[in-house]
Amino acid sequence: MTSINPNVRDVLNRGVLLDKLYRLKDCPVDLCKEYGKFASRYKSILNGKWSGGSKLTDAASEEFREILIFLYESLLKYKTFNNAFFTTSKSLDDFRAMMSLNQVCPYCDITKINKDIVSVDHLLPKGSFPVLSIFPDNLIVVCKACNEVIKGETIYLPIAHPYYEEVSRHFTFVIKENNNNKFTIEIATNSKNSKLINQKIYNFIKLFKIIDRYEKYMTAELQDYRTAVRKSAIAELNGVAQFRSITRNDIENCTRKYFQEAILDNTKLKRAVDGSKIKNDYINQIIKENAYQNDIEYIESHFFGFVTSKYE
């Protein structure tokens, strides 16, 4: 006879779980196979190639939905269940803390997350895909704004998965600055992208309202980032000025040097810096277009005062 861990028995004896399981006894579908079918075809759903159809009857489907959501929303929070299976009383909290340590939200890339302001999102919503409510790959640790305010139960398919596709590698932000120091932002997908990848990227950006949020919140961030580059160049030139006069050639070379060094290496940063994608695209755009004129003139004014520029 199989013995049951006393702590597990305590959970089962609460009655809620047993009651939900009992109601599935007449289910005409093998639920383990049903879960396996959805898990094995998860990428097909993300790619818009499979609708996630199920053989469950409407009644059984609702019962199955309830028990899976119960497992995620309730059972994982029971201290006795966690102690029995994970030797900790708070496995879900520990998972959130581990996944969010010094990280930026993988959806928006602008919000730093930590264990106190983190949310676990079901990329494919559990309301529409209850079978996947406890599927590990479908659980994404993100900021609360993306999950609870922006996304909710909405999904557009096909869609990019932040753990499967490195979303930032498939497109480039194009930043246009108007006369009022405001930015308009567009995206340009990579020429080597497949049609499917482009659809997944566009739907990802649409779902999380990336363009609108960036135009609203990142203008000041990008301006500050560019100012920091200028200040770094000025600091080095101030050091040089202790020994000799600064020339305009010094200013041009130093400006270009610090823009080159402003590119963030995300492989080393491990997503610890917010807005790294758009900051890199902004700096790369300046470098590619050789658009240093305002920066050089700003630094020149620091050393020579406001004089008629040679660029005019």
Side-chain angles (χ1 to χ4, degrees):
M1 181 176 179
T2 303
S3 61
I4 300 178
N5 183 309
N7 288 330
V8 178
R9 186 186 299 117
D10 180 66
V11 174
L12 294 176
N13 286 339
R14 290 172 181 261
V16 179
L17 179 58
L18 282 179
D19 178 62
K20 291 181 180 296
L21 288 171
Y22 181 77
R23 280 184 274 166
L24 288 172
K25 65 182 179 65
D26 296 324
C27 181
V29 176
D30 185 321
L31 298 180
C32 289
K33 288 184 178 179
E34 194 72 3
Y35 175 82
K37 178 178 71 174
F38 273 78
S40 65
R41 297 182 180 179
Y42 183 65
K43 289 186 178 180
S44 293
I45 300 175
L46 295 176
N47 290 339
K49 304 298 184 181
W50 187 56
S51 63
S54 175
K55 294 181 180 179
L56 291 170
T57 64
D58 290 342
S61 178
E62 187 59 34
E63 297 290 354
F64 196 34
R65 180 198 310 269
E66 285 187 17
I67 193 169
L68 287 170
I69 292 176
F70 167 78
L71 288 173
Y72 174 78
E73 293 186 346
S74 300
L75 190 61
L76 285 177
K77 296 177 182 178
Y78 288 174
K79 290 184 179 180
T80 50
F81 178 84
N82 279 275
N83 284 328
F85 286 94
F86 305 110
T87 65
T88 173
S89 63
K90 48 180 182 177
S91 63
L92 193 57
D93 288 342
D94 289 345
F95 170 70
R96 288 170 174 162
M98 176 187 69
M99 293 297 291
S100 64
L101 185 63
N102 297 321
Q103 295 284 299
V104 177
C105 175
Y107 285 165
C108 67
D109 194 43
I110 56 175
T111 304
K112 291 289 288 291
I113 54 179
N114 59 56
K115 65 179 182 179
D116 297 319
I117 58 171
V118 73
S119 185
V120 178
D121 177 50
H122 296 79
L123 179 58
L124 295 178
K126 59 182 181 290
S128 303
F129 299 90
V131 180
L132 296 169
S133 62
I134 56 172
F135 180 54
D137 287 14
N138 198 46
L139 304 178
I140 317 293
V141 177
V142 300
C143 70
K144 288 189 174 183
C146 279
N147 184 21
E148 300 173 16
V149 179
I150 304 296
K151 176 177 176 284
E153 288 286 306
T154 306
I155 190 67
Y156 303 123
L157 295 174
I159 194 163
H161 189 297
Y163 296 162
Y164 293 165
E165 293 99 357
E166 182 60 46
V167 178
S168 63
R169 294 179 181 175
H170 295 290
F171 76 96
T172 301
F173 284 113
V174 179
I175 298 98
K176 299 179 181 179
E177 189 171 6
N178 62 30
N179 294 330
N180 296 321
N181 293 322
K182 295 292 184 181
F183 293 152
T184 56
I185 299 171
E186 300 173 358
I187 67 162
T189 53
N190 296 350
S191 60
K192 294 182 179 180
N193 287 357
S194 66
K195 183 178 179 180
L196 175 60
I197 284 292
N198 281 343
Q199 289 178 324
K200 295 173 77 172
I201 295 300
Y202 280 123
N203 281 339
F204 184 92
I205 290 171
K206 175 184 176 182
L207 180 61
F208 297 106
K209 298 178 170 45
I210 298 298
I211 300 300
D212 291 342
R213 294 165 74 188
Y214 275 38
E215 288 183 344
K216 183 176 181 180
Y217 299 117
M218 290 303 294
T219 293
E221 286 277 344
L222 294 180
Q223 290 170 338
D224 289 346
Y225 198 61
R226 189 167 189 169
T227 298
V229 175
R230 293 173 172 180
K231 288 181 177 179
S232 295
I234 288 172
E236 178 172 316
L237 291 167
N238 279 333
V240 174
Q242 301 297 315
F243 303 97
R244 64 173 176 81
S245 298
I246 296 297
T247 67
R248 285 184 169 80
N249 191 54
D250 291 330
I251 292 174
E252 292 179 4
N253 291 336
C254 196
T255 301
R256 290 186 173 87
K257 169 188 171 183
Y258 276 95
F259 271 95
Q260 292 283 352
E261 293 183 357
I263 301 299
L264 298 166
D265 187 346
N266 278 322
T267 59
K268 294 181 179 178
L269 293 172
K270 297 181 179 179
R271 298 191 61 82
V273 175
D274 58 305
S276 56
K277 165 65 177 173
I278 195 167
K279 288 174 182 175
N280 277 352
D281 287 352
Y282 181 49
I283 296 299
N284 274 320
Q285 181 178 311
I286 293 170
I287 294 171
K288 182 179 179 180
E289 297 176 356
N290 200 31
Y292 306 102
Q293 176 177 335
N294 290 338
D295 307 283
I296 292 172
E297 289 180 353
Y298 176 88
I299 297 172
E300 282 182 339
S301 70
H302 178 83
F303 291 98
F304 306 136
F306 292 97
V307 297
T308 301
S309 172
K310 65 179 180 177
Y311 300 103
E312 296 179 347

